[in-house]
Amino acid sequence: MRLGLSQAEVAGICGVRREIVGRWERGINAPGGEALAAFGMHGADLHYILTGRDKDAPQPVMLRPDELELVLLWRDLTEEQRKGIRAQVRALAALRKGRKKT
């Protein structure tokens, strides 16, 4: 859509029939490497085609179970409690940085 191409035009670029492009769009089939390479040479965003995500968009952050636990506990704190926790974490981080320099 970004390139303003019809299915027939995409098919011509990729060397396949228009019906195949329709199958790709519906998720029935996936394009092969040669078709992707050809489409990429014409300006297609291959990262988006392969992942469904814009390469410039912020990527989701994956949390470890212990990190998730902290986030969930954090949400139950008052703002005053959060302020105190932030101060403690900043102090711990500063101590850790100080140890790395020595």
Side-chain angles (χ1 to χ4, degrees):
M1 290 173 73
R2 181 179 60 82
L3 297 174
L5 299 172
S6 68
Q7 282 185 347
E9 290 168 321
V10 172
I13 291 168
C14 295
V16 298
R17 296 187 327 270
R18 186 199 56 76
E19 295 79 17
I20 298 296
V21 175
R23 289 181 186 169
W24 295 344
E25 290 178 345
R26 292 189 306 277
I28 296 170
N29 294 100
E34 289 182 17
L36 285 172
F39 201 24
M41 299 272 286
H42 281 80
D45 183 348
L46 298 182
H47 184 271
Y48 181 81
I49 291 170
L50 294 170
T51 67
R53 294 191 199 122
D54 182 347
K55 65 183 172 197
D56 297 324
Q59 298 301 310
V61 176
M62 300 301 291
L63 298 177
R64 296 187 322 249
D66 60 328
E67 294 170 325
L68 180 58
E69 178 187 15
L70 289 172
V71 170
L72 295 174
L73 291 169
W74 175 266
R75 290 178 179 169
D76 288 334
L77 299 177
T78 66
E79 188 52 43
E80 189 63 28
Q81 290 169 325
R82 290 177 182 179
K83 184 177 177 182
I85 296 290
R86 280 192 295 269
Q88 290 176 4
V89 171
R90 285 187 193 106
L92 287 170
L95 282 174
R96 184 169 172 88
K97 286 181 183 177
R99 281 194 211 133
K100 286 184 177 179
K101 291 180 183 176
T102 58

